[in-house]
């Protein structure tokens, strides 16, 4: 099987796009579709008005086309329907079509993700354990705690699955094999595809090439599947994009009496035992490696604060007022003794009331001991 380059999914930040193209030239870069569609209301509501909802529906259909040829054929029709030929946003979307249209991305593995929602959820989960005030030493411990929490939840889910029994919907050996190998999330996705595999009929085949279509499809939309007994590909490229076999390939397996999924189509990233052992090993090695790096730099093991960075902008002591005059920080003096370094509350001479002014006398409540009177005869001032 051909090994595809790694992929990355981000928003439309131009500096990040430039950095990824420079530092990761072999990585396939894609834009989050949510960050694109979230701007539609500001772009097209005032222009389309009552047609805005229809535009969103047509864009959704256009977004889910299967091949680049279909996209290139339908895009001008949709643009002409709403008279958006000269719209700068439409022009910009078409120029970056290779970054957001799934028809151009199906040959690359994205795990089925078209948005950055998964990474945002990971950020939200990590923020439960750390904050902006967490130092490096605490960060390592909190990350270990977060990983331990994930592992405990996985063990809990595995235990529940054993007690609940089998979740098989059929008696097919293909589904039984997938249930014993794949993770719960991946197996659920596999079941969705396997349940719909029986809805497709085999039109005809030429050697190792099979043509299938949905049994209720009146438009004649077909899928071409290649299967030689060892390797298989489909024109929908669902496996390349998701890493999970599509309903079309599974339909060919059923028609050709294939009772065993080749290990090639059970990626290790989706296998239950491999993923759990890898997570435990990587988390243990990662934390150990980070601890060793810290101990190499600091034999005692203490983690010090990083050096203070110089902030941007003009220093506060050299800011200019209106008129070009330079402002200087004036040291405040005490209101009683006029000395610098303290205020009226902490002044050591505030007990000497004889030298205090009338306003200062009012600020300080005079007691009977201050005027040498017996407390019995003292008056309330």
């Amino acid at each position: 099987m051909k090994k595809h380059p790694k992929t990355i999914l981000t928003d439309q930040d131009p500096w990040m796009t430039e950095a990824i193209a420079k530092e990761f030239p072999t990585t396939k870069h894609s834009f989050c579709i949510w960050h694109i569609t979230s701007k539609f209301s500001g772009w097209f509501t005032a222009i389309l008005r009552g047609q805005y909802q229809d535009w969103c529906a047509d864009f959704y259909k256009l977004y889910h086309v299967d091949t680049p040829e279909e996209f290139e054929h339908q895009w001008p029709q949709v643009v002409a329907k709403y008279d958006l030929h000269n719209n700068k946003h439409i022009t910009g979307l078409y120029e970056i079509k290779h970054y957001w249209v799934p028809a151009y991305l199906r040959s690359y593995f994205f795990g089925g993700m078209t948005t950055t929602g998964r990474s945002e959820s990971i950020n939200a989960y990590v923020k439960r354990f750390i904050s902006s005030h967490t130092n490096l030493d605490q960060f390592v411990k909190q990350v270990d705690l977060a990983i331990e929490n994930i592992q405990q939840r996985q063990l809990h889910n595995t235990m529940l699955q054993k007690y609940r029994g089998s979740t098989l919907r059929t008696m097919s050996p293909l589904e039984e094999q997938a249930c014993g190998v794949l993770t719960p999330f991946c197996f659920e996705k596999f079941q969705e595809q396997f349940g719909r595999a029986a809805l497709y009929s085999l039109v005809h085949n030429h050697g190792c090439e099979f043509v299938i279509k949905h049994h209720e499809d009146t438009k004649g939309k077909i899928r071409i599947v290649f299967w030689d007994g060892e390797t298989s590909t489909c024109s929908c490229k669902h496996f390349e994009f998701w890493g999970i076999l599509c309903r079309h390939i599974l339909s060919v397996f059923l028609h050709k009496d294939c009772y065993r999924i080749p290990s090639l189509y059970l990626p290790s990233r989706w296998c239950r035992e491999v993923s759990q052992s890898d997570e435990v090993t990587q988390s243990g090695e990662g934390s150990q490696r980070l601890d060793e790096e810290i101990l190499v730099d600091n034999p005692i093991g203490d983690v010090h604060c990083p050096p203070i960075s110089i902030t941007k902008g003009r220093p506060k002591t050299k800011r200019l007022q209106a008129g070009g005059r330079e402002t200087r920080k004036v040291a405040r003096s005490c209101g009683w003794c006029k000395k610098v370094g303290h205020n009226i509350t902490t002044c050591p001479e505030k007990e000497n009331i004889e030298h205090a002014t009338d306003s200062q006398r009012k600020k300080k409540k005079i007691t009977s001991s201050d005027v040498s009177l017996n407390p019995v005869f003292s008056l309330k001032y």
Side-chain angles (χ1 to χ4, degrees):
M1 185 184 202
K2 183 180 179 180
K3 186 177 180 181
H4 296 293
K6 295 183 178 180
T7 56
I8 187 171
L9 189 65
T10 66
D11 57 11
Q12 293 177 269
D13 185 88
W15 305 111
M16 186 178 298
T17 302
E18 182 180 353
I20 292 174
K22 180 179 179 181
E23 301 296 334
F24 306 103
T26 60
T27 300
K28 180 59 179 177
H29 185 199
S30 173
F31 290 152
C32 171
I33 188 60
W34 181 88
H35 285 86
I36 295 176
T37 56
S38 62
K39 304 173 185 177
F40 278 10
S41 59
W43 289 351
F44 306 114
T45 302
I47 301 174
L48 300 177
R49 298 186 180 181
Q51 294 181 315
Y52 175 72
Q53 296 298 333
D54 296 334
W55 151 257
C56 293
D58 289 340
F59 180 85
Y60 181 81
K61 295 178 181 178
L62 187 63
Y63 176 75
H64 287 89
V65 296
D66 295 326
T67 62
E69 292 76 15
E70 293 183 41
F71 178 82
E72 294 292 343
H73 176 69
Q74 297 182 21
W75 177 266
Q77 299 178 1
V78 175
V79 173
K81 179 180 177 181
Y82 298 96
D83 193 18
L84 297 174
H85 298 90
N86 299 324
N87 187 276
K88 62 178 182 180
H89 302 297
I90 293 295
T91 304
L93 286 176
Y94 185 77
E95 291 177 353
I96 61 172
K97 59 184 178 181
H98 294 278
Y99 288 89
W100 62 270
V101 180
Y104 294 95
L105 303 173
R106 294 189 189 277
S107 300
Y108 304 91
F109 176 78
F110 281 91
M113 293 188 297
T114 56
T115 67
T116 56
R118 180 58 61 90
S119 61
E120 295 297 338
S121 64
I122 295 175
N123 293 338
Y125 178 79
V126 173
K127 288 180 181 178
R128 294 168 50 188
F129 298 87
I130 62 175
S131 64
S132 58
H133 303 286
T134 305
N135 56 38
L136 185 57
D137 188 16
Q138 295 174 345
F139 173 80
V140 176
K141 297 178 181 178
Q142 293 299 105
V143 169
D144 288 340
L145 183 63
I147 296 175
E148 182 180 357
N149 188 24
I150 295 176
Q151 295 173 355
Q152 290 178 356
R153 289 197 305 174
Q154 290 179 343
L155 293 175
H156 178 71
N157 295 335
T158 303
M159 181 188 65
L160 289 180
Q161 186 177 6
K162 290 182 179 179
Y163 278 101
R164 289 172 180 174
S166 176
T167 57
L168 297 179
R169 300 175 183 175
T170 64
M171 298 299 294
S172 173
L174 296 176
E175 185 182 12
E176 184 178 358
Q177 179 190 3
C179 180
V181 176
L182 302 178
T183 61
F185 170 80
C186 184
F187 179 65
E188 182 180 354
K189 298 297 181 182
F190 175 85
Q191 278 188 318
E192 294 178 4
Q193 298 296 323
F194 187 76
R196 299 179 181 180
L199 302 177
Y200 287 82
S201 59
L202 181 63
V203 179
H204 59 270
N205 66 292
H206 301 282
C208 297
E209 188 175 280
F210 302 84
V211 179
I212 64 173
K213 71 172 184 176
H214 196 275
H215 73 287
E216 293 182 350
D217 189 4
T218 58
K219 298 181 180 179
K221 187 174 183 179
I222 61 174
R223 301 290 184 180
I224 300 177
V225 178
F226 176 84
W227 167 244
D228 61 356
E230 296 181 358
T231 60
S232 180
T233 58
C234 181
S235 58
C236 72
K237 297 184 179 179
H238 184 273
F239 180 78
E240 287 79 1
F241 187 75
W242 264 95
I244 301 173
L245 286 176
C246 64
R247 64 195 75 172
H248 315 114
I249 295 179
L250 293 174
S251 179
V252 173
F253 284 178
L254 295 177
H255 282 94
K256 300 302 293 183
D257 298 330
C258 177
Y259 301 106
R260 192 73 179 172
I261 301 176
S263 59
L264 183 64
Y265 301 103
L266 297 173
S268 59
R269 67 171 64 248
W270 294 134
C271 293
R272 183 184 308 171
E273 296 180 357
V274 176
S275 62
Q276 292 179 356
S277 61
D278 287 346
E279 289 177 359
V280 174
T281 304
Q282 291 177 3
S283 62
E285 293 179 353
S287 59
Q288 182 179 2
R289 190 182 304 109
L290 184 57
D291 293 339
E292 291 177 354
E293 292 177 358
I294 294 175
L295 292 176
V296 169
D297 296 335
N298 291 315
I300 302 178
D302 297 333
V303 180
H304 302 287
C305 296
I308 300 176
S309 59
I310 302 176
T311 57
K312 296 181 179 180
R314 189 188 301 274
K316 293 183 178 180
T317 56
K318 296 182 180 181
R319 293 184 181 274
L320 300 179
Q321 292 180 344
R325 295 177 299 174
E326 183 177 343
T327 59
R328 294 182 180 180
K329 188 175 181 181
V330 180
R332 296 185 178 182
S333 59
C334 177
W336 282 10
C337 64
K338 305 302 180 183
K339 295 181 180 179
V340 180
H342 59 270
N343 51 25
I344 296 178
T345 305
T346 59
C347 181
E349 300 181 7
K350 68 178 181 179
E351 300 297 334
N352 189 3
I353 306 179
E354 295 181 356
H355 301 285
T357 61
D358 294 338
S359 60
Q360 294 170 348
R361 287 177 182 272
K362 294 179 181 180
K363 293 181 181 180
K364 184 176 184 304
K365 185 177 179 180
I366 302 176
T367 62
S368 58
S369 60
D370 295 330
V371 291
S372 302
L373 291 178
N374 192 307
V376 179
F377 303 101
S378 63
L379 301 177
K380 294 182 178 181
Y381 289 86

